[in-house]
């Protein structure tokens, strides 16, 4: 198992655990080093005070040497300590065979122990430091030789209780443990707080993603805080992504709805002429000896409806190509001949209307000649369809700044304000009684052609007075 496998799964707890280890190790090393340094210093002080005292006593006892030796039970007066610091030291003088000559004795009234090893070392002229337990008291003992002309004549032991140092070190240990615990607790709490605060948006993000996954509701958002750290930025990026997804989803639904409506409308529009054709054809089959007038009427109806279907299918094809992303040609087109040709084509249908070109300017645009002609034909077709006998239809072409303006105005039935915003929608017909031979697709095709030329189409109309359709296309530079 990798060492990371021992770590908790949650990122927050992992951070806390890692921080615990790092801070813990540093604190332990630091506190341990400090404690060790303090203990050594204290011991060093004790030992140097013992050496000082030993030297002082050593110098003072030479006067008691008789015939080059120190004798047991000899009365030796130990000089008082020179400094306050060494006042609690114990001094003991022994012969080389280990018999105590004089001792100031330990606080418990015991002699300083002197073992064979130490005696041997001192006899050889060496000094030793030892830590010895006497009763329940620990002593640091310094044993050194008493020399007379380089000859060892006795043993001088100076000792000091370690109780005070032990107490100081115990206090230091307690202080270190309390300090360590407080520092660890504070740093764990701080890390937990920071991790919790920083990772809160991440938790929210996971919850939101789960909710979106479960319900498919893309309107869900992560609550973000104003503090934009990395996690905060991730949450706000996630929100932006959700917004995009939501809007694409909305667009997709709208497109699907529009498509569904389009198919339903198209089927509905095709059913009417088909029913008429089938009815008339059935009648012709069933009644062989029909009067020539009735037969003529049935055939005319079949012809008209079939023609209507042809137009409808052709319009549907144009729109289907438009939806499939079909792009029109982009070549220089002179507007004047296009408009004149469309007007000529429509003249035979407008015999009882006054169709005329009022103004025509020489302007050129970039686009598709056939499509532009189809656009003018649609507008003229509508103008003829929605005008009464003797009404007038005017066509104007002019250059306005950098635009070519094509205007088709009529004094026909007009369009009410409630229908105006919808007339460019597919299959929308404002006046169903008058537009029975229309498909409701003409203006949507016109709008698509205008958009393909990067232009705009607008309408102004008043019921009973007439309508003005205005197309603006960028003129060729
Ligand atoms: P349609 O084939 O029915 O004419 P269009 O898309 O060309 O379909 O026109 C949509 C509707 O806008 C028409 O049904 C009609 O009610 C209205 N309309 C269009 N042009 C005119 C006009 N010149 N005068 C009055 N109404 C119009």
């Amino acid at each position: 198992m990798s060492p990371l496998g021992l770590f908790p799964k949650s990122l927050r707890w992992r951070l806390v655990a890692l921080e615990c280890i790092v801070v813990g190790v540093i604190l332990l090393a630091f506190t341990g080093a400090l404690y060790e340094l303090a203990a050594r210093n204290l011991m060093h002080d004790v030992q140097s005070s013992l050496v000082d005292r030993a030297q002082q006593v050593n110098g003072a006892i030479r006067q008691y040497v008789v015939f080059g030796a120190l004798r047991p039970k000899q009365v030796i007066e130990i000089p008082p300590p020179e400094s306050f610091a060494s006042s609690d030291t114990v001094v003991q003088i022994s012969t080389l065979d280990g018999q105590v000559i004089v001792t100031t004795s330990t606080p418990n009234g015991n002699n300083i122990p002197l073992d064979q090893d130490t005696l041997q070392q001192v006899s050889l002229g060496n000094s030793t430091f030892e830590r010895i337990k006497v009763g329940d008291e620990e002593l640091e003992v310094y044993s050194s030789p008493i020399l007379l002309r380089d000859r060892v004549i006795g043993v001088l032991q100076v000792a000091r209780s370690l109780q005070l140092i032990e107490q100081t070190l115990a206090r230091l240990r307690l202080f270190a443990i309390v300090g360590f615990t407080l520092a660890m607790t504070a740093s764990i709490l701080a890390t937990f707080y920071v991790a919790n605060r920083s990772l809160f948006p991440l938790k929210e993000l996971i919850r939101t993603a789960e909710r979106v996954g479960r319900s498919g509701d893309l309107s869900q958002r992560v609550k973000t805080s104003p503090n934009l750290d990395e996690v905060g930025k991730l949450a706000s990026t996630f929100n932006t992504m959700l917004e995009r997804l939501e809007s694409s989803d909305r667009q997709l639904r709208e497109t699907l709805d529009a498509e569904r409506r389009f198919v339903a409308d198209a089927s509905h529009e095709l059913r009417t002429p088909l029913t008429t054709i089938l009815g008339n054809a059935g009648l012709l089959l069933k009644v062989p000896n029909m009067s020539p007038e009735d037969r003529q009427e049935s055939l005319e109806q079949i012809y008209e409806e079939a023609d209507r279907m042809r137009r409808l299918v052709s319009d549907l094809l144009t729109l289907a190509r438009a939806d499939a992303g079909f792009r029109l040609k982009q070549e220089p087109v002179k507007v004047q001949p296009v408009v004149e040709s469309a007007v000529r084509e429509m003249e035979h249908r407008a015999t009882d209307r006054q169709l005329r070109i009022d103004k025509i300017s020489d302007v050129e645009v970039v686009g598709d000649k056939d499509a532009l002609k189809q656009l003018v034909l649609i507008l003229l077709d509508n103008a003829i369809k929605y005008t009464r006998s003797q009404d007038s239809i005017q066509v104007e072409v002019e250059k306005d700044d950098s635009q070519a303006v094509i205007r088709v105005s009529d004094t026909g039935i007009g369009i009410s304000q409630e229908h105006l915003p919808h007339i460019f929608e597919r299959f929308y017909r404002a006046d169903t009684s008058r537009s029975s031979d229309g498909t409701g697709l003409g203006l949507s095709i016109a709008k698509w052609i205008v958009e393909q030329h990067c232009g705009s189409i607008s309408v102004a109309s008043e019921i009973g007075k007439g309508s003005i359709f205005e197309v603006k296309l960028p003129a060729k530079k």
Side-chain angles (χ1 to χ4, degrees), residues 278-296:
L278 278 174
N280 280 300
L283 205 66
L284 286 169
L285 281 173
K286 271 190 222 145
V287 191
N289 44 2
M290 197 188 268
S291 71
E293 295 81 34
D294 287 348
R295 174 182 283 273
Q296 179 66 21

Side-chain angles (χ1 to χ4, degrees), residues 235-308:
S236 94
T237 312
F238 182 72
N239 277 346
T240 316
M241 192 186 79
L242 278 180
E243 258 160 46
R244 291 238 175 97
L245 273 178
E246 195 187 9
S247 103
S248 319
D249 184 62
R250 201 182 310 118
Q251 269 172 16
L252 193 71
R253 276 169 208 274
E254 278 168 13
T255 313
L256 280 177
D257 277 356
E259 229 161 68
R260 228 172 277 140
R261 244 181 291 125
F262 185 62
V263 172
D265 288 347
S267 330
H268 178 77
E269 290 295 323
L270 283 168
R271 207 166 46 198
T272 320
L274 267 178
T275 314
T276 318
I277 291 170
L278 278 174
N280 280 300
L283 205 66
L284 286 169
L285 281 173
K286 271 190 222 145
V287 191
N289 44 2
M290 197 188 268
S291 71
E293 295 81 34
D294 287 348
R295 174 182 283 273
Q296 179 66 21
E297 197 184 328
S298 281
L299 283 171
E300 268 172 16
Q301 272 192 14
I302 289 176
Y303 178 82
E304 271 168 27
E305 292 304 315
D307 187 49
R308 190 171 137 74

